[in-house]
Amino acid sequence: MEGRGSSITGREAMTVSTQVNKVTYTGNDSTTAFTFSFPGVSPTKIFLFLTDPNGVITQPSPATYVVTLNAPIKPNPTSVGGTVTYPVSGPPLATGWKLTIYRALDRTQTTSIANQSIIYPPIIESEFDYLTMVDQQLQDGVTSSIRVHVSDPPPATLPVVALRAGQSAVFDAQGNLTAGVPTSVDEAVISPAMQPVVSAATIKAGQI
């Protein structure tokens, strides 16, 4: 990342001051420039996702948009915010469509600090910035996942893939997420192990 300052003192270099790593806009048939306020690191780490009026999500080709990052403000080594131009040609995002700008970073560490070498503060801060943004990315995944309340016991492990393939996601009597098929009569859940029994043509076949 370019634009590193020559010195950093005290607490003046706070470069990751927002906890978000994505923003969503709604199309209006005219806007093609969409801004974001979170650090971008590199244009190649900014991705777009389109949501049509039916809720179907697609990822457009990088050739259809341009990402421009704001220049870092010294002494901060990490740029903050930028603009996405979408599309670079063709009609603007239509009304009813949504565009999500999302930062996704590789979970790697590429800075090597040699013994007794000169360590510039911007290099160290850049690494802290990067790790903070990776934490935000992981937290976004946790927030978007199925979670239980802090006072609940840990949920049970899901059945193995062979038993849950082709099944519905249901909650059992203990409130654990499992695999099964609700009946059409009383919405009782039939587990994968019992489905051959229930669907058997005869009692004898069910017993077998």
Side-chain angles (χ1 to χ4, degrees):
M1 176 62 65
E2 299 297 329
R4 296 190 172 102
S6 59
S7 64
I8 296 179
T9 59
R11 296 180 177 269
E12 59 188 6
M14 183 177 66
T15 57
V16 183
S17 57
T18 177
Q19 298 186 38
V20 301
N21 68 334
K22 63 182 178 182
V23 61
T24 299
Y25 288 94
T26 299
N28 59 7
D29 297 302
S30 61
T31 301
T32 58
F34 304 90
T35 61
F36 57 93
S37 60
F38 49 82
V41 180
S42 167
T44 60
K45 304 305 180 184
I46 301 296
F47 300 90
L48 299 190
F49 294 91
L50 299 176
T51 307
D52 71 13
N54 296 319
V56 178
I57 300 174
T58 57
Q59 185 174 0
S61 167
T64 63
Y65 61 91
V66 173
V67 178
T68 304
L69 300 182
N70 296 334
I73 300 176
K74 293 182 179 181
N76 297 335
T78 304
S79 66
V80 177
T83 301
V84 171
T85 301
Y86 176 85
V88 292
S89 63
L93 189 68
T95 299
W97 284 67
K98 293 182 179 180
L99 180 145
T100 297
I101 304 172
Y102 182 78
R103 183 192 67 222
L105 304 179
D106 299 323
R107 295 185 296 276
T108 58
Q109 201 288 98
T110 58
T111 298
S112 177
I113 300 175
N115 185 35
Q116 297 184 345
S117 63
I118 297 175
I119 304 176
Y120 292 101
I123 295 178
I124 298 176
E125 186 185 358
S126 292
E127 287 305 308
F128 284 142
D129 289 349
Y130 193 93
L131 293 174
T132 299
M133 287 183 277
V134 169
D135 285 342
Q136 293 173 349
Q137 182 175 318
L138 296 176
Q139 181 60 45
D140 182 66
V142 171
T143 303
S144 301
S145 64
I146 297 175
R147 297 176 295 168
V148 297
H149 194 273
V150 64
S151 63
D152 285 351
T157 303
L158 285 173
V160 296
V161 66
L163 293 180
R164 68 176 187 267
Q167 305 295 307
S168 299
V170 295
F171 291 96
D172 62 18
Q174 286 73 45
N176 290 311
L177 184 63
T178 186
V181 176
T183 65
S184 58
V185 178
D186 56 6
E187 294 303 316
V189 175
I190 304 174
S191 69
M194 287 299 298
Q195 287 170 26
V197 178
V198 175
S199 61
T202 65
I203 296 179
K204 184 62 176 179
Q207 292 173 338
I208 295 174

